[in-house]
Amino acid sequence: MADRVYPAAKPNPPPGAATAANGAGTGNGNAAASFPAPKSQMYQRPIYRPQAPAKRRRGRSCRCSFCCCFCWALLAIILLAFVAAVAGGAFYLLYRPQRPSFTVSSVRLASLNLTSSPTAPLLTDAITLTVTARNPNKKMVYLYDDLTVSVATAANAVSLGSTTVPGFTHAAGNTTVVTATVSSNAVTVDPSGAGSDIKRSGAFSVVVDADTSAGVRVGGLKTKKIGIQVHCEGIKVTPPPPAPAPAPKRVKGKNSTVALAPAPAPAADAATTRTAATVSTAAHSCKVRVRVKIWKWTF
């Protein structure tokens, strides 16, 4: 069978060609109707979306915070120091505070006995001293706890004994006399230091220390007690003269003759005991030191 031949399909004319053909066919000179014009597109402004701020570095932020804290702390310290300075100045102008004064009025070495052992000498002594305390303030009262009084040699600090004196209230403008007796009984001392410091004849220098705690009362206000030390140096004491030797005993002999027996010799390892009192009446001013305790250390 012969194949059928189909006519080729005509292509659709473009919209413009059809319009032109219609216009030509109308023949009335009016323009043919055209397709509706496309609507103009409206301009839309893009939506503004704020972006998140960039993250700062952590190190820089920490430094800024530290600087701010440091500045505020420094300002607070300066303000506190200024307020304290103003308060201290006002207190000084109102009360004129002064430190108390201490003076060693007299020292008496009542007895002294130092054995001459080369290895472990024993010391026995008794020292009586009088201390005069003066409060020069007109409105301030000092409150003292018990005082620990100790005496030692000035050269090698060989201890001569210590004692405790009851505390007292030191009224404004008042003078108080304190008497203490320091002694030691057969105490082993350093042979080298004791041998060079403690002289059996002639004066030697001693140091007197008194440790206590003191507070201040102004009107109805009391301060916290702090440690103080009264240090007195340059004090010379003279050992008492040795006790007189016992008189020899008379012994009757034959034919009614009288003989003198020799006195007993002193022990070879002991010094002669001196008991006569020797008083030093020269007044010696003392220094008052404030002792601050920080944890285990006292300054």
Side-chain angles (χ1 to χ4, degrees):
M1 285 182 65
D3 295 333
R4 293 182 178 180
V5 177
Y6 296 93
K10 296 181 179 181
N12 294 328
T19 304
N22 294 334
T26 56
N28 54 5
N30 294 331
S34 61
F35 290 100
K39 296 181 180 181
S40 61
Q41 296 180 355
M42 298 180 63
Y43 175 74
Q44 295 181 354
R45 184 175 298 177
I47 300 173
Y48 175 73
R49 296 179 179 179
Q51 298 181 355
K55 295 182 179 180
R56 297 180 180 180
R57 295 182 179 179
R58 186 175 180 181
R60 185 177 179 182
S61 176
C62 293
R63 287 195 298 269
C64 293
S65 300
F66 176 77
C67 291
C68 292
C69 294
F70 178 77
C71 292
W72 281 108
L74 182 61
L75 180 61
I77 292 174
I78 293 175
L79 290 177
L80 290 176
F82 178 75
V83 172
V86 172
F91 181 82
Y92 179 79
L93 292 177
L94 289 175
Y95 297 101
R96 302 284 182 176
Q98 300 181 28
R99 289 187 177 185
S101 62
F102 292 84
T103 304
V104 177
S105 304
S106 64
V107 180
R108 184 181 67 176
L109 184 56
S111 63
L112 176 65
N113 183 20
L114 178 65
T115 61
S116 57
S117 173
T119 57
L122 300 179
L123 175 64
T124 300
D125 64 84
I127 301 174
T128 302
L129 51 91
T130 302
V131 180
T132 303
R134 295 181 177 88
N135 184 1
N137 299 282
K138 297 181 179 180
K139 298 181 180 180
M140 298 176 58
V141 178
Y142 289 104
L143 308 173
Y144 295 100
D145 288 342
D146 293 347
L147 290 82
T148 302
V149 181
S150 59
V151 181
T153 60
N156 294 310
V158 178
S159 177
L160 300 177
S162 62
T163 187
T164 301
V165 178
F168 59 94
T169 299
H170 206 179
N174 188 22
T175 299
T176 304
V177 178
V178 179
T179 303
T181 300
V182 178
S183 62
S184 58
N185 186 14
V187 178
T188 304
V189 294
D190 182 17
S192 59
S196 59
D197 291 357
I198 302 174
K199 299 178 181 179
R200 299 176 183 176
S201 62
F204 58 92
S205 298
V206 297
V207 175
V208 179
D209 289 325
D211 294 327
T212 183
S213 297
V216 178
R217 185 179 67 193
V218 180
L221 300 178
K222 290 183 181 180
T223 63
K224 186 178 180 181
K225 292 184 178 181
I226 59 175
I228 65 171
Q229 182 187 51
V230 181
H231 181 74
C232 313
E233 58 184 8
I235 303 172
K236 290 186 177 181
V237 294
T238 303
K249 295 181 179 180
R250 294 184 176 184
V251 180
K252 291 184 178 181
K254 295 180 179 180
N255 302 326
S256 300
T257 58
V258 178
L260 298 178
D269 61 342
T272 304
T273 302
R274 304 164 184 260
T275 57
T278 302
V279 180
S280 174
T281 57
H284 299 273
S285 299
C286 305
K287 297 179 181 179
V288 180
R289 304 173 179 175
V290 177
R291 309 195 70 181
V292 180
K293 186 175 183 180
I294 301 177
W295 196 25
K296 297 180 180 179
W297 298 275
T298 302
F299 303 94

